[in-house]
Amino acid sequence: MTITITAFERSPDGGKGLARDTRVRWALEEAGLPYEVRLVSFTGMKEPAHLAVHPFGQIPTYEEGDLALFETGAIVFHIAERHPALLPTEPDARARAITWMFAALSSVEPPVLDLQTAKFAEGDKSWAQERMPLVFDRIRARLSQLADRLGDAEWLDGKFSAGDLLMVSVLLRLRMSGILDEFPTLAAYVARGEARPAYQRAFAAQLAVNAPATS
Ligand SMILES: N[C@@H](CCC(=O)N[C@@H](CS)C(=O)NCC(=O)O)C(=O)O
């Protein structure tokens, strides 16, 4: 059955791979599953046809036959459940990998996204600069804990899993801030994720859509 995901018609990041379709593309590439992409505009995302699949009017979505999913955590989990390349089959290792998926999205992504909110949604407020150190401190605190747990390991729990895929995807959003470089083991961890052939294919595919046109 054909898998169709949605992505921005033109991503605001101009092809840096930060839009969340990249993590779904990455999971599909790791699993070796072919997929098609339906591009949607910001207006189209808020129209009934897209809202029927994604109640919050966002990307990405995932459709396969009668199944329609939204939320990258659920989509990556759905892909990973059927592919040992992304989730170990041994029950305890599998449960730990799933724990890292939740950790990426519920414990690490919120402070990371707060930086984006502070810069882009609140940057013009009179109190924005005052709040910024707090935002950075919360990110540093979380990264420090994550770096402690990762130690010198290659991945978070044994072999690469969907937990690493989501964690690397979340951490990539910090690259432009420079804060990742304060944690060399995490920077190296992210670089290992980016070096995976499946990530490279996912990145290239989104770039082909989003790269600024050259004259
Ligand atoms: N928690 C959701 C977040 C989805 C999300 O924020 N998507 C962004 C693109 S990366 C979007 O569609 N933004 C446009 C909008 O919210 O109008 C997920 O992980 O799938």
Side-chain angles (χ1 to χ4, degrees):
M1 227 167 316
T2 306
I3 294 171
T4 305
I5 67 166
T6 50
F8 282 128
E9 189 178 68
R10 177 68 57 151
S11 174
D13 75 357
K16 292 191 177 66
L18 302 181
R20 288 172 179 80
D21 58 290
T22 304
R23 38 181 100 163
V24 173
R25 292 174 187 269
W26 185 6
L28 289 164
E29 292 288 354
E30 293 282 355
L33 292 171
Y35 63 97
E36 292 180 358
V37 183
R38 190 167 66 248
L39 301 176
V40 285
S41 65
F42 272 93
T43 319
M45 263 182 255
K46 310 300 174 198
E47 285 171 357
H50 188 73
L51 286 169
V53 182
H54 198 310
F56 309 128
Q58 297 181 313
I59 62 99
T61 58
Y62 173 105
E63 289 160 80
E64 186 180 12
D66 290 337
L67 178 69
L69 298 175
F70 60 97
E71 286 295 337
T72 49
I75 297 171
V76 170
F77 181 58
H78 176 73
I79 297 165
E81 261 193 319
R82 295 172 294 161
H83 293 277
L86 285 168
L87 275 184
T89 46
E90 194 280 310
D92 286 0
R94 190 178 183 88
R96 289 195 302 272
I98 294 168
T99 300
W100 280 115
M101 295 178 69
F102 277 87
L105 300 181
S106 13
S107 294
V108 181
E109 192 164 49
V112 169
L113 290 182
D114 200 29
L115 177 58
Q116 205 171 312
T117 306
K119 275 188 179 165
F120 302 113
E122 300 169 349
D124 59 347
K125 304 284 186 271
S126 58
W127 38 263
Q129 282 314 309
E130 206 177 334
R131 191 168 107 77
M132 206 54 104
L134 297 175
V135 173
F136 274 104
D137 284 351
R138 277 188 217 112
I139 295 173
R140 282 194 186 95
R142 199 50 106 215
L143 294 191
S144 170
Q145 292 166 319
L146 185 63
D148 284 349
R149 173 52 79 97
L150 180 67
D152 293 327
E154 190 176 13
W155 305 113
L156 288 165
D157 192 295
K159 281 168 60 170
F160 175 85
S161 77
D164 295 296
L165 185 151
L166 288 176
M167 192 65 81
V168 168
S169 300
V170 166
L171 295 177
L172 271 167
R173 298 185 90 92
L174 290 172
R175 162 139 320 131
M176 297 292 283
S177 73
I179 198 168
L180 208 49
D181 299 329
E182 296 174 26
F183 300 87
T185 54
L186 292 183
Y189 169 66
V190 169
R192 278 194 291 281
E194 287 179 293
R196 292 180 72 82
Y199 177 84
Q200 298 281 319
R201 289 194 294 275
F203 184 87
Q206 67 76 36
L207 186 62
V209 176
N210 293 306
T214 48
S215 52

